[in-house]
Amino acid sequence: MSIKGKGYIMGAYEHPTRLAKDKSVAQLHAECAAGALADAGLTKDDVDGYFCAGDAPGLGPLAMADYMNLTLRHLDSTDVGGCSYLNHVSHAIQAIAEGKCSVALITLAGRPRSEGHSGAVPRVRGADAPDTQWEFPLGVATVNAYAMCAARHMHEFGTTAEQLAWIKVAASHHAQHNPHAMLRDVVTVEQVVGSPLIATPLHRLDCCVVSDGGGALIVTSPEIAKQLKRPKVKVLGAGESMKGQMAGQVDLTYSAAVRSGPAAFAEAGVKPGDIKYASIYDSFTITVLMQIEDLGFCEKGQGGKFVADGNLISGVGKLPFNTDGGGLCNNHPANRGGITKVIEAVRQLRGEAHPAVQVKNCDLALAHGTGGLLGSRHGGATLIMERE
Amino acid sequence: MSETKKERKIPAPMVNPETEAFWAAAKEGKFLLPHCVDTGKAFWYPRQVSPFTMGKVEWKESKGLGTIYSVSVMKRAPEIYAIAYVTLDEGCTMMTNIVDCDFDKVAIGDRVQITWKPAEDGTPYPQFKPA
């Protein structure tokens, strides 16, 4: 069975807050849910399927579904880190196609900025995880796990710090138009490579922001989508995978997108060259570079050349990406950027992105997420969407 | 040369029944590397179910020699430290720290050898230094 055309993204909402000292995580989830429902023209009583991941408080979906007083026929708490919400869109359409629900709500929210979390501080990702005793004592944080990928990419392919910097530069060109973005100043390649080294070879400006906030999506059946007034965003294809250390046969040059990408393109029946806009997970500049290669936008090892000289800037380059400013400049709520990737793709397909960054005739878009640590074990999920 | 003035404290490893033999040997200065009995291949990290065949696993002592596959020097920390993947001569790659080195010069391709540094509870923890 294919999910192609079996479900539509009919509601999308990004919380405007970037610092939420006065709100709880549950409240942020619920405010995002209310925003997405209002966007779709639905109410909470229309929701019969609910999806959330590890950022939700309490046990799976129980706390949040109870907080929002939902009556559900379908629940799913798939958690593979920051890309989980792309998996949720795919899983929601699978459930809709099987008749298990017809209006699915997906929420993400968190307040890592208020709580003082940083990607430079090692943390235990499950004391009983089988890898913890071998890695946590080493000081593996988020940034240095990604940095090892960047170091290896540079070593094998000659990728440069300046090429990576172009990714931040492109994101900043987009963020200047987003009043909610945390970083709105346009930066130059020189500013990125001149910013302090955090974990070699990654600089401070190679890293995403740490922000509070959240987002929500509404996925519906084709029948319900027809009754709603919003532009219809049809999901054409989806793919998901993960990649680990392969029992010690470590290869840091590629990501799980080598599997999730081709699966999504095959289901959608389109090619990378057909994509008009791409939301690419941008926890760090290297994340974008590797995913662009793995999704087939360029050959492996050629990502550095591909992203340079503004090729990711809307209106300038061939592959406009993250036109909201992405995680690099706009928002990375709960330290998980997956849902905002889908939200900006929906804006582009609806023609509702900021006019300065709106891609002309944007009828086909891709969103890709990475969850966990690219340098050790991570999830990858790809969605291909069409304006109908 | 930017050698560390202070060494980073190594949190105690959370030992479990699968890995007690490794840490017991570590206390005698022996580096045990897990191997798949069916294929004879070494793997990392240690576990008692072969990641190649789901079959049995045996420990073999390793000389602890290898080559840096990738390395990143963490600058934004109270004490600078290097995290790395080292490909052992047995053919598998493990995450580790590079210590007792010049952090401005440590690089992919460098030959390294195992050295044991005490974790906070005194357990010898496997790290690598220039060979």
Side-chain angles (χ1 to χ4, degrees), chain A residues 60-74:
Chain A
L62 296 183
M64 280 318 308
D66 185 46
Y67 179 108
M68 295 187 282
N69 191 24
L70 303 176
T71 304
L72 300 173
R73 293 197 289 142
H74 192 80

Side-chain angles (χ1 to χ4, degrees), chain B residues 13-60:
Chain B
M14 297 143 186
V15 180
N16 68 32
E18 262 190 299
T19 60
E20 277 170 2
F22 178 93
W23 298 108
K27 285 177 181 154
E28 296 168 17
K30 287 183 186 167
F31 177 38
L32 295 187
L33 193 59
H35 287 67
C36 166
V37 170
D38 294 321
T39 64
K41 283 166 69 178
F43 63 87
W44 192 262
Y45 53 84
R47 65 204 83 165
Q48 290 298 332
V49 178
S50 166
F52 301 122
T53 66
M54 305 290 276
K56 285 192 164 53
V57 167
E58 61 183 340
W59 298 103
K60 292 183 186 175

Side-chain angles (χ1 to χ4, degrees), chain A residues 276-291:
Chain A
K276 303 275 182 66
Y277 164 82
S279 282
I280 307 283
Y281 202 100
D282 54 348
S283 45
F284 301 92
T285 52
I286 184 63
T287 324
V288 176
L289 187 102
M290 286 175 56
Q291 292 166 137

Side-chain angles (χ1 to χ4, degrees), chain A residues 33-386:
Chain A
L37 284 164
D39 180 55
L42 292 164
T43 73
K44 80 166 192 72
D45 294 333
D46 296 313
V47 174
D48 58 0
Y50 177 59
F51 296 70
C52 62
D55 53 284
L59 179 63
L62 296 183
M64 280 318 308
D66 185 46
Y67 179 108
M68 295 187 282
N69 191 24
L70 303 176
T71 304
L72 300 173
R73 293 197 289 142
H74 192 80
L75 305 81
D76 181 330
S77 55
T78 298
D79 188 14
V80 282
C83 65
S84 303
Y85 321 91
L86 289 93
N87 301 64
H88 291 166
V89 171
S90 170
H91 297 182
I93 300 171
Q94 291 172 35
I96 288 167
E98 296 278 359
K100 303 299 182 189
C101 64
S102 56
V103 175
L105 166 67
I106 303 164
T107 66
L108 166 146
R111 47 204 298 283
R113 191 176 173 201
S114 291
E115 292 163 9
H117 293 180
S118 159
V121 177
R123 62 190 161 101
V124 174
R125 294 163 198 267
D128 61 348
D131 48 273
T132 297
Q133 65 186 299
W134 308 106
E135 295 178 16
F136 172 69
L138 300 169
V140 60
T142 306
V143 61
N144 56 2
Y146 283 76
M148 283 194 286
C149 297
R152 188 69 200 181
H153 205 281
M154 290 174 165
H155 177 81
E156 288 207 19
F157 305 116
T159 306
T160 66
E162 287 76 13
Q163 289 171 335
L164 286 176
W166 267 108
I167 297 166
K168 180 74 159 200
V169 170
S172 77
H173 272 267
H174 298 147
Q176 66 177 316
H177 304 293
N178 181 352
H180 301 300
M182 270 183 73
L183 306 178
R184 294 191 65 194
D185 291 339
V186 174
V187 297
T188 64
V189 167
E190 292 70 29
Q191 284 174 303
V192 177
V193 299
S195 65
L197 280 164
I198 303 296
T200 61
L202 296 179
H203 304 82
R204 182 176 162 81
L205 293 184
D206 285 300
C207 306
C208 67
V209 299
V210 175
S211 63
D212 299 346
L217 296 164
I218 304 293
V219 181
T220 78
S221 64
E223 294 73 27
I224 288 173
K226 259 184 230 163
Q227 298 163 22
L228 300 174
K229 293 184 177 128
R230 300 294 277 135
K232 287 162 74 178
V233 172
K234 179 157 70 173
V235 177
L236 296 182
E240 61 185 78
S241 188
M242 65 78 62
K243 176 171 168 266
Q245 295 174 333
M246 299 175 291
Q249 300 303 305
V250 174
D251 185 341
L252 296 182
T253 62
Y254 70 94
S255 74
V258 299
R259 290 186 281 271
S260 68
F265 279 113
E267 188 167 45
V270 300
K271 302 184 298 296
D274 300 327
I275 299 295
K276 303 275 182 66
Y277 164 82
S279 282
I280 307 283
Y281 202 100
D282 54 348
S283 45
F284 301 92
T285 52
I286 184 63
T287 324
V288 176
L289 187 102
M290 286 175 56
Q291 292 166 137
I292 281 177
E293 293 176 345
D294 295 339
L295 291 166
F297 290 109
C298 67
E299 294 291 311
K300 174 53 66 183
Q302 297 301 305
K305 284 179 194 151
F306 184 85
V307 302
D309 304 321
N311 202 32
L312 303 180
I313 300 175
S314 184
V316 175
K318 284 188 189 144
L319 185 68
F321 97 126
N322 300 6
T323 40
D324 59 337
L328 287 169
C329 294
N330 172 28
N331 188 15
H332 195 230
N335 292 333
R336 290 162 170 251
I339 210 159
T340 46
K341 293 291 159 287
V342 182
I343 292 169
E344 183 65 5
V346 168
R347 289 192 193 108
Q348 281 286 354
L349 290 167
R350 288 173 169 179
E352 294 177 355
H354 190 282
V357 297
Q358 175 67 48
V359 175
K360 282 182 193 143
N361 306 316
C362 187
D363 53 2
L364 190 66
L366 172 146
H368 179 80
T370 290
L373 300 180
L374 201 54
S376 57
R377 51 200 65 79
H378 65 273
T382 311
L383 289 177
I384 296 172
M385 296 153 277
E386 172 185 70

Side-chain angles (χ1 to χ4, degrees), chain B residues 53-100:
Chain B
T53 66
M54 305 290 276
K56 285 192 164 53
V57 167
E58 61 183 340
W59 298 103
K60 292 183 186 175
E61 191 173 352
S62 166
K63 287 182 180 165
L65 288 168
T67 305
I68 296 178
Y69 171 79
S70 193
V71 60
S72 172
V73 177
M74 188 69 166
K75 303 273 192 181
R76 194 177 174 223
E79 303 91 20
I80 292 176
Y81 64 97
I83 194 148
Y85 276 109
V86 166
T87 303
L88 297 170
D89 290 353
E90 287 85 348
C92 66
T93 299
M94 63 184 281
M95 196 189 287
T96 187
N97 294 129
I98 309 298
V99 297
D100 303 337

